[in-house]
Amino acid sequence: MGGRSKDQQNVSAWRPRVPGVVEVFHAHYTEYAYPMHVHDAWTLLIVDDGAVRYDLDRHEHGTPHDTVSLLPPHVPHNGSPATPDGFRKRVLYLDASRLGDELIGPAVDAPDLRDPVLRRRVGQLHAALALPGDELEAESRLTLIGDRLHAHLGSGAGAPGARRDPVLARRLRELLDERVVPGIGLEEAAALVPAHPAHLVRAFSGAYGIAPHQYLMSRRVDRARRLLLAGGSPAEVAGATGFYDQAHLTRHFKRLVGVTPGRYRASGART
């Protein structure tokens, strides 16, 4: 969507390796206004600075900072800055595997959702999508977001209500233990167990007090610690323990251990 105005435009877009996500789009516009247009995917929008005003189905809407906006596919809409300095937004385009056509009508009637929990979860999902290697986390967060959107739109198509299921949680833990290095996607895990993805995440988190992606990263970091103390370089260890690259290892290792893999390895050499 190119602009004809002389305003500042800063955009980035990519397609992550997460089922159901067609595109991630981040943009900062100061003056640019979108003309009426449609998408063939769902548009899940949060605005970090400023605000956007838009028309959807001939009704005017807006996106204050605490709002999550969900625009359905095939319904014309536009968009323009509602504040003098423009707006900065983050958008996810989702296919019908995440949100079905039965939700289009309710989304047209109420596209702007004021839900602090949903807003925080969408921001966390964007953070997980920003760097490769955290696809299980992104899938988990997206599944719970979809479940919450179904609840907002009054659909019974989401996951069943949360309930304890220790047997299901143990089966997922065993599956994660078998796949520490190669990893596993949430949809694949849900098919193997089997269970609804959102229920699977809730059951595991309720049983163990940690999300599936956090458990998997903890297991990988534990393996990395052993290999680093055995003399492996951070780059070698990253590849051997299932991390996307050395930067991916460093990010999670420092978060869980408090130091970088290089410093951890050096400390072992001195003892």
Side-chain angles (χ1 to χ4, degrees), residues 76-126:
H77 60 276
N78 57 11
S80 59
T83 51
D85 294 327
F87 59 88
R88 184 165 57 89
K89 67 176 183 176
R90 289 180 286 172
V91 183
L92 295 174
Y93 295 103
L94 308 175
D95 67 24
S97 69
R98 294 294 177 175
L99 299 168
D101 288 349
E102 75 279 0
L103 301 180
I104 290 178
V108 169
D109 293 336
D112 299 318
L113 308 172
R114 291 203 168 188
D115 180 341
V117 173
L118 178 61
R119 175 65 172 76
R120 183 174 68 253
R121 287 181 177 176
V122 173
Q124 291 170 332
L125 173 56
H126 276 279

Side-chain angles (χ1 to χ4, degrees), residues 68-178:
V68 176
S69 295
L70 181 66
L71 310 184
H74 315 302
V75 180
H77 60 276
N78 57 11
S80 59
T83 51
D85 294 327
F87 59 88
R88 184 165 57 89
K89 67 176 183 176
R90 289 180 286 172
V91 183
L92 295 174
Y93 295 103
L94 308 175
D95 67 24
S97 69
R98 294 294 177 175
L99 299 168
D101 288 349
E102 75 279 0
L103 301 180
I104 290 178
V108 169
D109 293 336
D112 299 318
L113 308 172
R114 291 203 168 188
D115 180 341
V117 173
L118 178 61
R119 175 65 172 76
R120 183 174 68 253
R121 287 181 177 176
V122 173
Q124 291 170 332
L125 173 56
H126 276 279
L129 291 168
L131 295 171
D134 291 332
E135 285 79 16
L136 177 59
E137 176 181 354
E139 278 194 78
S140 299
R141 295 195 182 281
L142 180 57
T143 295
L144 295 180
I145 287 169
D147 195 35
R148 199 168 183 91
L149 290 172
H150 276 93
H152 270 290
L153 298 175
S155 167
R163 65 180 187 273
R164 291 194 176 276
D165 196 334
V167 174
L168 181 65
R170 185 177 69 251
R171 291 174 68 184
L172 177 56
R173 187 183 66 182
E174 292 170 350
L175 188 58
L176 292 172
D177 287 341
E178 294 171 2

Side-chain angles (χ1 to χ4, degrees), residues 227-240:
L227 293 177
L228 288 166
L229 291 180
S233 71
E236 293 169 339
V237 170

Side-chain angles (χ1 to χ4, degrees), residues 14-24 98 128-129 131-139 142 182 184-187 220 242-245 248:
W14 68 98
R15 182 164 190 171
R17 296 183 300 172
V18 175
V21 181
V22 177
E23 180 185 333
V24 184
R98 294 294 177 175
L129 291 168
L131 295 171
D134 291 332
E135 285 79 16
L136 177 59
E137 176 181 354
E139 278 194 78
L142 180 57
I184 188 170
L186 182 61
E187 287 192 354
R220 287 177 173 175
F243 289 94
Y244 181 80
D245 56 17
H248 188 215

Side-chain angles (χ1 to χ4, degrees), residues 9-97:
Q9 299 179 31
N10 184 13
V11 304
S12 60
W14 68 98
R15 182 164 190 171
R17 296 183 300 172
V18 175
V21 181
V22 177
E23 180 185 333
V24 184
F25 182 70
H26 294 180
H28 178 205
Y29 295 129
T30 55
E31 297 179 9
Y32 175 64
Y34 290 101
M36 294 299 293
H37 63 287
V38 299
H39 297 289
D40 59 3
W42 289 84
T43 302
L44 186 63
L45 164 71
I46 58 175
V47 175
D48 295 309
D49 292 307
V52 180
R53 67 153 303 280
Y54 67 94
D55 297 300
L56 179 74
D57 195 37
R58 298 183 294 278
H59 295 284
E60 184 174 333
H61 301 274
T63 59
H65 186 268
D66 59 348
T67 298
V68 176
S69 295
L70 181 66
L71 310 184
H74 315 302
V75 180
H77 60 276
N78 57 11
S80 59
T83 51
D85 294 327
F87 59 88
R88 184 165 57 89
K89 67 176 183 176
R90 289 180 286 172
V91 183
L92 295 174
Y93 295 103
L94 308 175
D95 67 24
S97 69

